[in-house]
Amino acid sequence: VSIKADDDQMLQGLHAEDDRDGDVTDSLVVVSHTKFFARGKFRVNYAAFDKKGNVGTYTRVLEYTDYTSPQFSVISPFRYKENEGNLQLLSKVKAEDCLEGDISGLIKLKYDEGSYVNIDEEGKAGVTFQVTNSCGDTVQLPVQLEFLDEETWSLPYPILSEYLVCTPVNTEVDYAEYLTGVNVGGSELLFEDAKTGKDYGYFRKNVSIDPQVDYSNPGIYPVVYTLNSSDEEKGTEELGSVTMYVEVRK
C-alpha cells in the first residue's frame, strides 16, 4: 500500500466468516500496527466480530511501496571560529519524514567516540546527528566540526545552496550546481548578482572542488569546496573552504 493508505485500503483483500452468521467481512477493523521490522514493512492486526460480539483476530504484513527514510537537511556549514562558545549544532540541521512531516524536534546528537571538542583550539571534531520516526526507522548523519583560527576564519570562502545532498546509488551529483557565491567578511556575494564577477574579484572558476564520494556504496561523503585567489604576482593561493556532504542511498 501507499504511505497515504487509510484503513479501508489496509483492509483490502481480507474476508471474514463466522460458522453461524456467515459472511462478517463488514465487521472487519484495523486494530493496530507495529513499528517496522524491516524498512517499510510492518505487521497490521485486524479484528472481526459476529453478531454476539465474539472476536476473531488476524495479523498480516503490509509494505509501503513509496516509503522513504527520514531525510536530513543542513542549513549552514559546520564551520566555527575558535573560542566560539555557542555552537548551536541542532539549529543547523532539520529532518523531514514522509509519514510525519517535520521531525526536527526529535533530532539527537552525540560526539564520536574518542572525539574531543576543544573550542579554544584549531582542529576538527566528529559528531553524529540521529533521528527516529514513529515507525522506528532511524537515520544518522555523521559530520565534522571545523574550528578555525582568527586568520583562517576571516578568509573569504564559497557559499553553497545546499550543504547536504541525497542521491541514489550510482547517480552522480553535479557539484557545480550548488555553488552560488562567496562569503567575504560575513557578507554573502552571490555570483548571480554580479554581472562579471569583477565587482568583488572572484569567479566560479576560482573555486576548486574535491569530491570524496563513492557512488557505488551507500554512505555519507564529504565534498570540499575551496576558494582560490588569482594574483598575477603571487599566483594562485588557497583561501577559505567549506564542506558539503553527499548521502548515497540504496
Side-chain angles (χ1 to χ4, degrees), residues 21 24 29 64 94 118 133 146 156 169 173 185-186 195 201 220 224:
D21 298 334
V24 292
V29 293
Y64 286 134
K94 291 187 177 296
N118 186 347
N133 65 14
E146 289 186 277
V169 169
V173 169
K195 294 180 180 179
I220 297 175
V224 179

Side-chain angles (χ1 to χ4, degrees), residues 89-90 107-111 127-130:
L89 293 177
L90 290 174
I107 298 175
K108 299 179 180 180
L109 72 87
K110 63 178 180 178
Y111 290 97
V127 299
T128 299
F129 295 89
Q130 178 175 299

Side-chain angles (χ1 to χ4, degrees), residues 195-216:
K195 294 180 180 179
T196 65
K198 293 182 178 179
D199 293 6
Y200 45 89
Y202 301 110
F203 298 88
R204 289 179 179 272
K205 67 180 181 181
N206 290 108
V207 179
S208 60
I209 303 174
D210 178 22
Q212 303 167 38
V213 185
D214 181 357
Y215 287 102
S216 63

Side-chain angles (χ1 to χ4, degrees), residues 23-86:
D23 189 345
V24 292
T25 301
D26 288 346
S27 72
L28 274 166
V29 293
V30 174
V31 177
S32 63
H33 55 78
T34 66
K35 293 184 176 182
F36 293 159
F37 63 86
R39 185 174 174 273
K41 293 183 177 181
F42 56 102
R43 293 179 176 86
V44 180
N45 301 309
Y46 302 93
F49 304 85
D50 65 11
K51 292 178 180 179
K52 291 186 177 181
N54 297 308
V55 181
T57 61
Y58 183 70
T59 299
R60 69 174 175 178
V61 172
L62 288 189
E63 179 179 6
Y64 286 134
T65 56
D66 51 354
Y67 176 79
T68 56
S69 292
Q71 176 63 49
F72 282 110
S73 60
V74 176
I75 300 169
S76 58
F78 300 101
R79 194 176 188 274
Y80 299 94
K81 181 169 61 176
E82 61 182 8
N83 298 316
E84 186 171 344
N86 189 2

